[in-house]
Amino acid sequence: MDHASVLALYDRDMREGARPDGPGARIERAGDVVRQVADAHGWNGVVWSGLDRAGADRAIEEQIAHFTSLGRDFEWKLYGHDLPHDLGARLTAAGFRPEPEETLMIAETGTLTVEARPPAGVRLLPAADAAGVDLVVDVHERAFGTDGTRLRHRLLARLAADPDTVVAVVALAGEEPVAAARLELVPGARFAGLWGGGTVEAWRGRGLYRALVAHRAHTAAALGYRYLQVDASTQSRPILERLGFQPLSTTTPYVYEP
C-alpha cells in the first residue's frame, strides 16, 4: 500500500468530500472547513479543514459561534497530519476537550485473508430492525459504559431511511448479546467504515472482535468497496495489525460543550 496516496484519497473522499452520515444531517463548507450539522441526536462536528497559522484561530471561533447558535455540542475531528501542526493546542486554548487519541487504520479488501468464526455456541445475526438495534445498544452500553440513546436513534433512523448505508451485526451466546459492531457504507465511495466493535467484558479474549471484523470485511468486499477504514483504540490496534490493517495517521476528537 502506498500510504501517502491512500491517505490523500481518504482525505479527499471521506473528509473534504464527506457525505451526511444519516437522514436529517447535512454537510456544509464554510471557507476552509467542512462540517456536518445534524439534530441533537446526530453527530455534529468538523470533518476536515485546510487551515494555515494565520487563519486557524478565526476559523475555530467561527465554528464555535455557528454550533453554539444552534445549541449543539460538537466535535472537531483532528487528524495527526492536519495543519497547522499546533491546531490541537489552539483547539484546547479555545475551550475544546481532547478525548483519547486513536489510530486511523486502512486495509485493502482484496488483500485481506481474514477467516475467523465466532467461538462455539455463539452466532452472528444481522440487526436490521428495532429488536436487533436494541441488542446492539445493549452491548454498546455494557462494553463501553456509555449511554446508547444517540446510537439507538441514529441506527433506527438510518435503517428506516437509508438501509443500504449501514450493516449492523450482533453476536449472541444463546440469547445473550455479547458483542456487536456495524459497517457504515457511502454509496459510490471507495472506503467502508468499521465502527462500534465492542465485546462485553466476560467474553473478551475469545476471538469475537476478530470474527466481527472478518464478517464485515467480507460484506464490504462483496459490495465492491476497495478499502476498509477503522479508528482503532490502543486495544484493537494490535488485533487489526495482525489482520493486515496498516496505520496511516492518528485521529483525536476535540469536543466542545457550550
Side-chain angles (χ1 to χ4, degrees):
M1 182 187 297
D2 182 335
H3 286 197
S5 63
V6 173
L7 183 58
L9 179 64
Y10 179 78
D11 281 345
R12 186 169 65 249
D13 278 11
M14 307 304 292
R15 299 183 63 208
E16 189 175 6
R19 287 83 150 180
D21 71 357
R26 65 183 183 275
I27 297 295
E28 299 176 344
R29 179 148 194 163
D32 292 319
V33 170
V34 174
R35 65 194 178 208
Q36 175 170 291
V37 178
D39 63 21
H41 292 288
W43 186 86
N44 288 269
V46 173
V47 295
W48 177 87
S49 64
L51 304 175
D52 57 23
R53 295 178 65 85
D57 291 337
R58 182 176 66 255
I60 292 170
E61 292 171 2
E62 289 171 351
Q63 298 314 305
I64 291 173
H66 179 75
F67 283 103
T68 300
S69 72
L70 299 175
R72 301 281 188 269
D73 298 347
F74 75 104
E75 175 184 313
W76 192 301
K77 194 169 176 63
L78 179 68
Y79 288 75
H81 58 286
D82 286 346
L83 298 176
H85 294 299
D86 64 348
L87 185 53
R90 292 170 184 260
L91 291 168
T92 301
F96 288 78
R97 172 178 50 83
E99 294 193 339
E101 180 183 276
E102 296 181 315
T103 302
L104 172 65
M105 305 190 74
I106 304 288
E108 291 191 64
T109 57
T111 63
L112 285 178
T113 55
V114 183
E115 296 297 338
R117 297 182 180 277
V122 177
R123 66 192 192 279
L124 301 183
L125 294 178
D129 56 17
V133 168
D134 284 343
L135 295 175
V136 170
V137 171
D138 178 74
V139 170
H140 177 89
E141 293 183 333
R142 290 191 290 143
F144 300 113
T146 56
D147 180 73
T149 301
R150 282 190 173 185
L151 175 61
R152 177 182 284 106
H153 175 88
R154 291 172 65 187
L155 271 177
L156 288 173
R158 288 184 73 167
L159 288 170
D162 299 301
D164 294 335
T165 66
V166 62
V167 176
V169 60
V170 62
L172 294 179
E175 297 304 315
E176 180 192 1
V178 294
R182 65 189 188 275
L183 175 70
E184 297 196 356
L185 307 166
V186 177
R190 283 162 282 198
F191 294 85
L194 304 185
W195 296 95
T199 303
V200 300
E201 186 173 2
W203 281 84
R204 292 171 188 166
R206 305 193 198 187
L208 279 168
Y209 182 84
R210 181 185 177 100
L212 289 169
V213 171
H215 177 84
R216 289 174 292 165
H218 291 310
T219 300
L223 292 171
Y225 287 85
R226 181 174 179 182
Y227 298 104
L228 293 170
Q229 170 262 323
V230 190
D231 290 349
S233 67
T234 54
Q235 292 81 18
S236 58
R237 175 173 172 169
I239 302 171
L240 292 164
E241 286 184 317
R242 290 194 293 270
L243 295 176
F245 285 77
Q246 299 182 39
L248 296 192
S249 187
T250 61
T251 178
T252 304
Y254 280 77
V255 178
Y256 190 89
E257 298 171 327

